Amino acid sequence: MSKYSEIYDYIKNEIITNQISYGGKLPSVRKASELFSVSRTTIQNAYFALAEDGYIISEPQSGYYVSYRSPKKQNETPRKEKNRIIYNFSGTAADRESFDFDIWRRHMKAALRQNERLLSYSEPQGEEELRNAVSEYILEKRNVAASADRIVIGAGVQSLLHVLCALIDKGQTVSFPDRSFVQGTALFEDHGFEVHYRYKDADIIYVSPSHMTRWGDVMPNRRRIELTRYSAQCGSLVIEDDYESDFQYNSMPTPSLYALSGGSNVVYIGSFSRLLLPSIRISFMILTSELAEKYRQNIYKFSQTASKTEQIALSSFIRDGRLMAQIRKTRRFYTAKTKLFYNILKKTFPGCKIEISENLLQVILQTPFHGEISDFGKSGIKLYVEKYENGVITLVLSPGGIEQNKLESAANALKKSIEN
């Protein structure tokens, strides 16, 4: 088979299988010749043949575009409709009423007016202005004392863990409290660490004291002190993911592991996505003094993943006291919503075991079920199944992303999906 025929078949298959959709632009002849490592003439012949057979069309002074529409099966449901989520109980969405978009928009506009700053990349460690603001914020909120030079900014916890894995020795053992943090365990395994699910004899202990499990359990003070003492005696590094520490309602305020240990062997990680919006991907990591020094020596190996514009906006958002106001608003809003949903479920599922998690962000429902877990998705429901055995299913439901006036219809849809 000639080279141009191979390229013709390859592009044709990409078009037919909708990998290149209708109206999509093909690479230029020059670019395609580089991609396929063939001459421009070969690419030109393949494009001519595709055009002749009706798969692509040439637009003068523009390039080649797909003109073929793949036929739909008679009973085929459009992908968007098939996978459409109507009620999201997974905790991955926020309620628009929990956030003042107008205030954030003003801070973003102010950041976009800083023309000179936006002409360059962000500092690898994060904007100094934001790191200073974070340093003051965590001291006030969590009694965590750390200077800005020990703080690293990143777009989400995973991006920060990539940085951390580059700073610590490979081949060590890492413990997680359970298997729920799939992305985190996979990341450490990809970096050559051995992962298990007990902290005894572990070189590195990963823990989220304010949200230990999917149930939202909060680690009591006694166990926090025990863990800090154990890790100090064994020389273990603790990674404290202080996820949802601002959402402790049913328990007394608890100190961070970082504060209890003095930060000597604890790396502290926090995020603003839950307090603001999931789409604002800004997290921070506080390194130990030894790891901070190692980071500075290797800073040229890292690049910043968080938006510079959003970093500037968040700096002023914190400095103007907006973050503290947002925390108070968010706590009240989601507390009331979870309690309301709990009462709705009690009426919708009489006789079933229903309880609110310790952090008051989830409702745990145990109910008889004899269907398939995939049936929830088919009903437009996204949720987390904690356990399903002996005809009883345990669901961890986060109502935060569902509008308050739709909570009752969401509960009814859930009941219908379970009973069908």
Side-chain angles (χ1 to χ4, degrees), residues 88 91-96 98-99 101 155-156 243 271-283 310 334 400-401:
N88 188 347
T92 58
D95 191 315
R96 62 175 297 111
S98 70
F99 189 71
F101 285 88
Y243 178 66
S271 177
F272 296 103
S273 298
R274 185 63 167 165
L275 293 173
L276 304 177
L277 292 171
S279 58
I280 301 176
R281 302 291 292 161
I282 299 182
S283 300
E310 289 188 347
Y334 284 120

Side-chain angles (χ1 to χ4, degrees), residues 104-287:
W104 179 252
R105 196 174 291 114
R106 288 201 294 270
H107 285 276
M108 284 293 290
K109 286 181 178 179
L112 287 168
R113 286 195 292 268
Q114 300 191 34
N115 298 347
E116 292 300 318
R117 288 185 68 180
L118 297 180
L119 292 174
S120 60
Y121 290 110
S122 177
E123 299 173 30
Q125 194 169 347
E127 294 301 293
E128 184 177 5
E129 178 185 3
L130 177 57
R131 289 187 283 115
N132 283 323
V134 169
S135 177
E136 295 173 5
Y137 159 72
I138 56 174
L139 179 61
E140 179 179 352
K141 286 296 298 177
R142 301 294 287 137
N143 194 31
V144 170
S147 57
D149 62 349
R150 286 172 59 181
I151 296 174
V152 179
I153 303 296
V157 172
Q158 280 183 271
S159 67
L160 293 173
L161 291 179
H162 277 292
V163 173
L164 183 60
C165 284
L167 299 176
I168 54 184
D169 295 334
K170 306 294 185 292
Q172 300 186 78
T173 55
V174 184
S175 73
F176 285 81
D178 60 25
R179 300 175 186 273
S180 61
F181 190 13
V182 178
Q183 299 94 332
T185 56
L187 186 149
F188 276 96
E189 287 176 338
D190 289 344
H191 278 275
F193 293 90
E194 179 186 339
V195 173
H196 56 69
Y197 301 94
R198 64 184 188 282
Y199 69 75
K200 295 295 184 182
D201 304 319
D203 300 310
I204 302 166
I205 302 169
Y206 194 103
V207 64
S208 301
S210 300
H211 192 122
M212 293 172 58
T213 65
R214 289 280 188 179
W215 301 77
D217 294 335
V218 178
M219 182 182 288
N221 281 342
R222 175 187 55 77
R223 190 172 171 193
R224 291 177 189 237
I225 294 170
E226 176 189 312
L227 177 55
T228 54
R229 287 176 177 171
Y230 169 82
S231 61
Q233 292 170 357
C234 299
S236 302
L237 176 69
V238 176
I239 302 174
E240 180 180 15
D241 183 348
D242 213 15
Y243 178 66
E244 292 186 345
S245 63
D246 290 299
F247 297 94
Q248 292 185 25
Y249 305 104
N250 286 355
S251 58
M252 295 292 290
T254 50
S256 67
L257 299 176
Y258 187 98
L260 287 173
S261 69
S264 59
N265 67 319
V266 177
V267 171
Y268 182 97
I269 297 178
S271 177
F272 296 103
S273 298
R274 185 63 167 165
L275 293 173
L276 304 177
L277 292 171
S279 58
I280 301 176
R281 302 291 292 161
I282 299 182
S283 300
F284 61 93
M285 174 171 65
I286 302 173
L287 299 171

Side-chain angles (χ1 to χ4, degrees), residues 265-325:
N265 67 319
V266 177
V267 171
Y268 182 97
I269 297 178
S271 177
F272 296 103
S273 298
R274 185 63 167 165
L275 293 173
L276 304 177
L277 292 171
S279 58
I280 301 176
R281 302 291 292 161
I282 299 182
S283 300
F284 61 93
M285 174 171 65
I286 302 173
L287 299 171
T288 64
S289 56
E290 293 80 4
L291 289 174
E293 178 59 32
K294 191 172 182 179
Y295 177 87
R296 284 189 288 272
Q297 294 172 0
N298 294 273
I299 195 169
Y300 64 93
K301 298 178 181 178
F302 305 108
S303 59
Q304 182 51 241
T305 53
S307 161
K308 186 173 185 177
T309 307
E310 289 188 347
Q311 288 186 65
I312 296 171
L314 182 56
S315 301
S316 60
F317 192 83
I318 296 174
R319 185 180 60 239
D320 293 350
R322 296 294 184 182
L323 182 61
M324 291 302 187

Side-chain angles (χ1 to χ4, degrees), residues 338-383:
T338 306
K339 289 180 178 178
L340 173 62
F341 185 58
Y342 168 80
N343 290 326
I344 290 173
L345 286 180
K346 294 289 282 186
K347 295 177 182 178
T348 310
F349 293 88
C352 294
K353 184 177 180 181
I354 304 171
E355 56 184 326
I356 299 178
S357 64
E358 192 172 355
N359 62 8
L360 272 186
L361 289 176
Q362 293 90 23
V363 179
I364 296 94
L365 168 65
Q366 288 185 341
T367 181
F369 180 64
H370 300 285
E372 298 290 335
I373 292 176
S374 59
D375 291 342
F376 293 114
K378 294 174 184 176
S379 302
I381 297 173
K382 184 177 182 181
L383 46 71

Side-chain angles (χ1 to χ4, degrees), residues 50-64:
L50 287 164
E52 188 175 324
D53 292 343
Y55 292 105
I56 64 174
I57 188 171
S58 174
E59 294 286 348
Q61 308 301 319
S62 180
Y64 290 92

